Amino acid sequence: MDAKLAVAQRVDALADELEALSHRIHDTPELAFKEEKAAAWLAEFLEKHGARVERGVGGLPTAFRATVDGTGAGPTVAIMAEYDALPGIGHACGHNVIATAGAGAGAAIAAALGTVPFAGRIQVIGTPAEEGGAGKVKLMEAGVFKDVDAAMMIHGRCGTQVWRPTLGIIKVKVEFHGQAAHASSWPWRGVNALNAVIQLFVSLDAMRQQLRPDARVHGVITRGGEQANIIPEYTSAEFYLRATTVDYCEELLRRFRAAAAGAATATGCRVTVTADPTVHEPLRPNATMAGLFARNLELIDFPEDPDDGQAGYGSTDCGNVSQRLPTIHPYIRISPDGVPGHSRDFAQWARSPLARMGMVAGAKALALTALDLLASPDALARAKQDFAKGEPA
Ligand SMILES: [Zn+2]
Ligand SMILES: [Zn+2]
């Protein structure tokens, strides 16, 4: 179809501008819900190329929605853009590439076609706070995805794979309350909350041996005491409990609570365990949309890579979107094989010539797949059937 060719060519024409924007976002890492500059730059870029932009949608100041209308009433296909960074290590998840691939797809459609030549509309939804804030869940609760029929995004990785599972997560905070005392002259009068948190880590390490191989339990101590001459009276830690199903995440939480209670008993502390009510859900696959995306990758000569099986799985708030409507979350190569996400290495690759290639390919494949879904009511109907028969989390 001519529209697809025109849009792909427009992505190429926009590539320098997109790369500059990607680098600007990379050089200005902003944390969850504070992505003011990135959101403003992306919204401005989409507006400049002809999309209709609403800022601060869903009650989140750093969310936005850019719409390119079609020829009349019809379905809505959304392309999601993330742009938050990680504390301390910047754009080590490459969300600058997600942002510019998504915005590039929308801008290329608007600039090349003016109006989408089919009924319906394409939207780029700027979704804040993927890293820790579950921004997409907040946007769904606020109704931003209410009229969306299908959603998609890309994520950078050390290989191109249209489908890879992601894990559900229950986030949990644990606090131990002990009693302060002089650590040298009256240690026996203290109740040591640091010992409790250390005991919890030890218990979890023992528990891990009896977990399913793809479950993950990992945490950091957020308060470990104040000064070495005071028996710590208060400590806290945060953990992620991850598994391939929400059911097993809940099983992990049950066992976590038992381990925390045991650590409290052993040390004489009081414990409180607070589970975050927002549960990250695993991705629900969508074979129809994945198939369209894979064909578009072939069309633009950016082939999928075999999964070398060297890495485990991450998680994403896109999983929650995928449990509500047909969704895909393909991975696009922006680094050589074997570079882990959330590493300083990956942060550098997210600003490299490979990242530019991934961004351009991602923008094209997203735009072409969105057009496919609007061009063919059949394809969209099949995507909805796939969704309906998918296993709920
Ligand atoms: Zn990440
Ligand atoms: Zn990410």
Side-chain angles (χ1 to χ4, degrees):
M1 122 181 61
D2 289 348
K4 285 174 83 166
L5 183 62
V7 169
Q9 284 172 346
R10 189 59 67 112
V11 171
D12 285 325
L14 290 172
D16 285 346
E17 197 180 344
L18 282 168
E19 187 182 35
L21 179 53
S22 173
H23 288 183
R24 221 182 328 154
I25 294 171
H26 191 281
D27 294 344
T28 318
E30 298 170 299
L31 299 183
F33 298 120
K34 294 177 188 149
E35 316 93 330
E36 283 124 16
K37 291 196 177 76
W41 292 334
L42 292 158
E44 193 185 328
F45 173 80
L46 280 152
E47 211 162 48
K48 177 177 143 191
H49 290 288
R52 178 163 50 81
V53 177
E54 303 155 86
R55 292 167 170 84
V57 291
L60 298 184
T62 56
F64 65 84
R65 178 167 53 201
T67 302
V68 188
D69 286 313
T71 54
T76 300
V77 176
I79 295 167
M80 295 174 282
E82 300 172 357
Y83 30 84
D84 58 325
L86 287 156
I89 52 174
H91 273 289
C93 209
H95 291 188
N96 56 307
V97 178
I98 301 177
T100 45
I109 291 167
L113 307 177
T115 298
V116 178
F118 313 109
R121 65 201 61 73
I122 290 171
Q123 293 181 332
V124 179
I125 301 182
T127 62
E130 193 281 323
E131 300 286 0
K136 292 181 194 64
V137 176
K138 291 193 161 55
L139 293 181
M140 281 197 294
E141 285 167 358
V144 172
F145 285 83
K146 185 166 51 77
D147 298 321
V148 175
D149 293 273
M152 64 186 90
M153 61 175 285
I154 58 103
H155 199 297
R157 195 176 181 271
C158 59
T160 300
Q161 283 99 23
V162 175
W163 165 251
R164 270 175 71 77
T166 64
L167 304 178
I169 314 179
I170 293 179
K171 296 179 182 176
V172 62
K173 178 177 185 182
V174 61
E175 295 165 285
F176 290 103
H177 304 269
Q179 189 166 303
H182 196 291
S184 175
S185 62
W186 294 95
W188 45 84
R189 298 280 288 273
V191 175
N192 194 325
L194 179 60
N195 279 345
V197 79
I198 291 169
Q199 185 56 52
L200 173 60
F201 272 85
V202 172
S203 297
L204 294 173
D205 283 341
M207 176 180 94
R208 198 167 276 120
Q209 188 183 173
Q210 267 63 55
L211 298 184
R212 287 179 174 278
D214 35 24
R216 295 286 185 272
V217 175
H218 47 93
V220 291
I221 297 176
T222 45
R223 285 276 294 276
E226 301 305 321
Q227 192 163 291
N229 61 356
I230 312 165
I231 297 295
E233 64 174 351
Y234 173 82
T235 54
S236 61
E238 287 172 9
F239 288 86
Y240 284 14
L241 314 177
R242 307 202 206 207
T244 54
T245 65
V246 170
D247 271 359
Y248 200 71
C249 288
E250 279 162 6
E251 163 70 6
L252 292 177
L253 177 60
R254 188 187 65 72
R255 290 161 77 167
F256 181 91
R257 284 185 193 280
T265 303
T267 54
C269 290
R270 188 166 61 76
V271 65
T272 51
V273 173
T274 312
D276 188 329
T278 300
V279 174
H280 280 65
E281 294 167 332
L283 275 173
R284 185 191 287 216
N286 193 289
T288 299
M289 289 173 68
L292 291 173
F293 193 92
R295 274 199 290 286
N296 285 317
L297 284 181
E298 281 168 29
L299 195 69
I300 62 169
D301 203 18
F302 195 91
E304 272 195 86
D305 299 309
D307 193 334
D308 61 13
Q310 292 299 303
Y313 303 125
S315 304
T316 169
D317 60 1
C318 185
N320 298 57
V321 178
S322 78
Q323 298 293 348
R324 304 293 174 280
L325 55 125
T327 302
I328 50 169
H329 181 271
Y331 292 92
I332 296 283
R333 178 186 292 282
I334 65 167
S335 83
D337 289 348
V339 180
H342 293 198
S343 67
R344 291 196 183 273
D345 247 10
F346 196 77
Q348 288 194 332
W349 283 107
R351 200 190 189 291
S352 67
L354 260 187
R356 176 188 168 119
M357 288 169 64
M359 173 194 72
V360 167
K364 288 179 183 173
L366 286 168
L368 303 190
T369 305
L371 287 171
D372 282 340
L373 287 169
L374 290 185
S376 162
D378 261 15
L380 187 58
R382 272 185 282 117
K384 289 185 177 185
Q385 283 162 14
D386 288 350
F387 170 79
K389 67 174 191 257
E391 290 293 309

